[in-house]
Amino acid sequence: MSVTLDPDDSVIVLAHEQFPGRAKTAVGVLRYADYEVAAVLDRAHAGGTVTDHVPDVDDAPIVENMDAALDCTDPDALVIGISPIGGEFDESWRPDVRTAIEAGCDVISGLHYFLADDAEFAALADETGVDLIDVRRPPADLTVSEGRAHEVDAEVVLTVGTDCNTGKMTTTLELVAAARERGIDAGFVPTGQTGIMIAGWGIPIDRTIADFAAGAAERMVLEAAADHDVVFVEGQGSIVHPAYSGVTCSLLHGSMPDSLVLTHSAGTEAIHGYESFAVPPIETYVDLYESLAAPVAPAEMAAGALDTRAFDDDDAARDAVAAYGDALGAPATDPIRFGAEEILDDLL
Amino acid sequence: MSVTLDPDDSVIVLAHEQFPGRAKTAVGVLRYADYEVAAVLDRAHAGGTVTDHVPDVDDAPIVENMDAALDCTDPDALVIGISPIGGEFDESWRPDVRTAIEAGCDVISGLHYFLADDAEFAALADETGVDLIDVRRPPADLTVSEGRAHEVDAEVVLTVGTDCNTGKMTTTLELVAAARERGIDAGFVPTGQTGIMIAGWGIPIDRTIADFAAGAAERMVLEAAADHDVVFVEGQGSIVHPAYSGVTCSLLHGSMPDSLVLTHSAGTEAIHGYESFAVPPIETYVDLYESLAAPVAPAEMAAGALDTRAFDDDDAARDAVAAYGDALGAPATDPIRFGAEEILDDLL
């Protein structure tokens, strides 16, 4: 999937009956995407606006359906911003998707159900010349890595983790936002489906053929580095995860970062869902990530991001961040609580 | 792919016009497979026998075509023992495959061209109830690893490498043969296409979806360990390979071996095909493989296998093996030149 949404594009986000609480992708798009959200589709909340529910984002109307959205906006794409359990397509959304395609909008979906394989949508899209982009499907032309990502001029920063769900995507996006705030030309390389929906491009690296995973990372870094001075790569999994470590290793060696940011959730002691596997000391992660990177392309563990949601008290959170930084031997922050700019200088 | 060939099965190996020099799979099957090779198909060498060309294997006739093979044998399967560049199906083989299916033989192929997707073969196989087994296609029901391979009673040994093509499959098969020679109930877990052809079962781990690679390794180890006292797992790639390290990492964490055997080709100084990437010191590999395994399931670098083909002289090869063992801090051998039994005790 190549870049399909530019900063001057605008989209409609479908989030019927689930905005904002059960619409993580929709909220992520509102919070982090470069492109404009022109309207949100939610028949249960139509009539209100986005900031009635989510403060601190650009406002947009919430409307009943795609017809209503087209009455007041001229969007480039429809983004499916919710995902039912199992990733199925909800047939009640069909009229909205049909209307979008007929109006010349691309449709971007992270569902397991591929819109491009739906006979009606495929035929319609063919007629109107729009793209149906199923972000869970990796491109068919992936190849093995050529070992070239270290050649780029851009500074490359990869988030890594002590486990899954330690805030790699959020940390990456907060770093991108903090860098841009400072006037730095920063790019974001999305490697998972929510990141891809937010960015409007990317490859779901965990769904690629194992031999091509590093190649997918390399391709994205080369592409992003051509357009930006600093590239922040969204990490996946953990190098000590019993199931997903291979994806993490492919990302590390494929993207060849200059700097690493270790993300961790304060207080966790076992790998989530694999409770018999202990989370080793932070020092072990630093050694492992750096020593694994070194023979291929040296990378420095330059900063840490700690999720301190476990602490109600800001002082306790500050103490936890300080202790985490000591274990890392590098500056740390909680990018949500204390801001990502606290570690930005250490990554540039 | 589940186990499809038992030791008391017999097969015909197709190797038209390429036996033995350009028929690596056919020769591998003759040398290492448990099952009997009843005949080889090679129209260019028909009339001779296998040991005219390959000494030290069980003899079998070389015949013109599948009809001739069926005149003198009663095989369970036809194995495609050659692979043209690109992995295409050679149409001149069609009558042999057709005859095999009609005679009730399964057909096992490592071609990129999937026999099961060939309309004629699929229809015929349906009629006669045989299986068309395309070993390059991973099973459709793979899942993520559950982190269970360490629970098996069997001793698990994984070959790892300093690079691709360092003799991981050969070392693994020589260890299996040496163990069986000694009366040990040893199993072989094949993870690449040639190993799968030889064993008659297995999963091509580099072709699985990245998220499922460790799960594929786990599934195979659980399956093999249920039937054997010692399980030797064929390794892939190298943990410092710019393109394939993710597969290596998934195999390490998915198979959770007790012991590792590091394979290396004497004299190589750069990663093959990635010449700007130096092969790091042997000590670095020991550290990396052991420290990466430790947080998930500790594994000891227990022995080394050095390919000494670069040395004409046996004494020089002996010296190289000794130096390699010193660097490893473990016993080493060249399994082809000096035998795998030299390191067997260190792995049991």
Side-chain angles (χ1 to χ4, degrees):
Chain A
M1 176 184 181
S2 55
V3 177
T4 56
L5 288 173
D6 296 319
D8 53 354
D9 284 338
S10 79
V11 309
I12 307 299
V13 177
L14 184 152
H16 281 309
E17 296 164 23
Q18 303 197 22
F19 188 80
R22 285 150 62 215
K24 271 178 71 174
T25 300
V27 173
V29 161
L30 281 161
R31 188 156 280 151
Y32 293 116
D34 292 339
Y35 51 82
E36 182 204 359
V37 175
V40 169
L41 307 189
D42 185 345
R43 51 193 163 229
H45 298 99
T49 76
V50 161
T51 53
D52 295 342
H53 306 273
V54 183
D56 307 327
V57 299
D58 288 341
D59 208 5
I62 303 178
V63 298
E64 178 86 18
N65 56 32
M66 196 64 198
D67 284 315
L70 291 172
D71 283 345
C72 58
T73 66
D74 181 22
D76 298 288
L78 171 66
V79 170
I80 309 295
I82 47 180
S83 180
I85 289 168
E88 289 306 304
F89 181 77
D90 187 321
E91 283 300 323
S92 77
W93 307 340
R94 185 168 290 274
D96 289 322
V97 174
R98 190 190 296 129
T99 302
I101 299 173
E102 285 169 346
C105 292
D106 296 333
V107 185
I108 304 181
S109 164
L111 300 173
H112 276 295
Y113 180 87
F114 291 153
L115 300 187
D117 293 345
D118 182 286
E120 183 190 13
F121 295 151
L124 263 185
D126 209 37
E127 275 175 40
T128 62
V130 308
D131 291 326
L132 302 178
I133 299 157
D134 294 295
V135 305
R136 272 187 193 259
R137 175 146 54 188
D141 63 344
L142 289 178
T143 57
V144 300
S145 173
E146 296 178 19
R148 289 182 48 215
H150 63 96
E151 296 169 6
V152 303
D153 290 328
E155 193 76 13
V156 177
V157 179
L158 172 67
T159 48
V160 293
T162 57
D163 193 358
C164 299
N165 295 312
T166 52
K168 285 178 282 286
M169 187 189 78
T170 299
T171 298
T172 311
L173 288 164
E174 291 291 339
L175 283 166
V176 171
R180 289 179 183 169
E181 185 72 26
R182 217 191 265 187
I184 295 164
D185 180 0
F188 170 56
V189 168
T191 60
Q193 65 155 330
T194 303
I196 295 171
M197 303 288 279
I198 289 168
W201 74 290
I203 299 173
I205 193 145
D206 56 348
R207 311 302 297 173
T208 64
I209 287 176
D211 250 3
F212 300 156
E218 174 184 63
R219 180 195 289 200
M220 288 190 282
V221 166
L222 295 180
E223 190 170 328
D227 294 333
H228 300 285
D229 295 333
V230 185
V231 170
F232 292 93
V233 182
E234 176 194 8
Q236 294 292 337
S238 168
I239 199 61
V240 303
H241 196 285
Y244 305 129
S245 60
V247 172
T248 308
C249 185
S250 294
L251 252 177
L252 182 67
H253 285 160
S255 65
M256 300 186 174
D258 301 289
S259 305
L260 303 171
V261 180
L262 184 67
T263 64
H264 178 57
S265 296
T268 54
E269 292 177 355
I271 301 295
H272 181 69
Y274 295 77
E275 308 300 328
S276 67
F277 296 86
V279 169
I282 296 301
E283 292 82 350
T284 301
Y285 287 99
V286 178
D287 284 351
L288 266 182
Y289 281 114
E290 288 188 345
S291 63
L292 188 58
V296 178
E300 187 197 0
M301 189 65 76
L306 186 70
D307 179 342
T308 62
R309 268 179 293 189
F311 300 97
D312 289 334
D313 183 73
D314 274 3
D315 288 342
R318 267 288 172 211
D319 290 346
V321 166
Y324 181 61
D326 286 345
L328 269 178
T333 187
D334 179 334
I336 296 297
R337 196 166 204 154
F338 303 123
E341 61 279 5
E342 298 204 359
I343 56 171
L344 194 57
D345 282 333
D346 305 288
L347 302 171
L348 301 176
Chain B
M1 177 185 181
S2 56
V3 177
T4 56
L5 288 172
D6 296 319
D8 53 354
D9 284 337
S10 79
V11 308
I12 307 299
V13 177
L14 183 152
H16 282 308
E17 297 165 21
Q18 304 199 23
F19 187 80
R22 287 150 60 214
K24 272 178 70 174
T25 299
V27 173
V29 160
L30 281 160
R31 187 158 279 152
Y32 292 117
D34 293 340
Y35 52 81
E36 182 203 1
V37 175
V40 168
L41 308 188
D42 185 344
R43 52 193 163 229
H45 298 101
T49 77
V50 161
T51 53
D52 294 344
H53 305 273
V54 184
D56 307 326
V57 300
D58 289 341
D59 209 4
I62 302 177
V63 299
E64 180 87 16
N65 55 34
M66 195 65 197
D67 285 313
L70 290 172
D71 283 345
C72 59
T73 66
D74 181 21
D76 298 287
L78 172 66
V79 170
I80 309 296
I82 48 180
S83 181
I85 289 168
E88 289 306 304
F89 181 78
D90 187 319
E91 283 298 324
S92 77
W93 308 340
R94 185 169 288 274
D96 289 321
V97 174
R98 190 190 295 131
T99 302
I101 299 172
E102 286 169 347
C105 292
D106 296 333
V107 185
I108 303 180
S109 164
L111 299 174
H112 276 294
Y113 181 88
F114 291 154
L115 299 187
D117 293 345
D118 182 286
E120 182 189 13
F121 296 151
L124 262 184
D126 209 38
E127 274 176 40
T128 61
V130 307
D131 291 325
L132 303 178
I133 299 157
D134 293 295
V135 306
R136 271 188 194 260
R137 174 147 54 190
D141 63 345
L142 289 179
T143 58
V144 299
S145 173
E146 297 179 16
R148 290 182 47 215
H150 63 95
E151 296 169 5
V152 303
D153 290 328
E155 193 77 11
V156 177
V157 180
L158 172 67
T159 47
V160 291
T162 56
D163 193 358
C164 298
N165 295 312
T166 52
K168 285 179 283 288
M169 186 189 79
T170 299
T171 298
T172 311
L173 288 163
E174 291 290 340
L175 283 166
V176 171
R180 289 179 183 168
E181 184 73 25
R182 219 191 263 187
I184 296 164
D185 181 359
F188 169 57
V189 167
T191 59
Q193 66 155 329
T194 303
I196 295 171
M197 304 288 280
I198 289 169
W201 74 290
I203 299 173
I205 193 144
D206 57 348
R207 310 303 297 175
T208 64
I209 286 175
D211 250 3
F212 300 157
E218 174 184 63
R219 180 195 289 200
M220 287 190 283
V221 166
L222 294 179
E223 189 170 327
D227 294 333
H228 299 286
D229 296 332
V230 185
V231 171
F232 292 93
V233 181
E234 176 194 8
Q236 295 291 337
S238 168
I239 199 60
V240 303
H241 196 285
Y244 306 129
S245 60
V247 172
T248 307
C249 185
S250 295
L251 251 178
L252 181 68
H253 285 161
S255 65
M256 299 186 173
D258 302 289
S259 306
L260 303 171
V261 180
L262 184 66
T263 63
H264 179 57
S265 295
T268 54
E269 292 176 356
I271 302 296
H272 181 70
Y274 295 77
E275 308 300 328
S276 68
F277 295 87
V279 169
I282 296 302
E283 293 81 350
T284 300
Y285 287 100
V286 177
D287 285 350
L288 265 183
Y289 280 115
E290 289 188 344
S291 62
L292 189 58
V296 178
E300 187 197 2
M301 189 65 77
L306 186 70
D307 178 343
T308 62
R309 267 179 292 188
F311 299 97
D312 289 334
D313 182 73
D314 274 2
D315 288 342
R318 267 287 174 212
D319 290 346
V321 166
Y324 182 61
D326 285 346
L328 268 178
T333 186
D334 179 334
I336 296 297
R337 196 167 202 154
F338 302 124
E341 61 280 4
E342 298 203 358
I343 57 171
L344 194 58
D345 283 332
D346 304 288
L347 302 172
L348 302 176

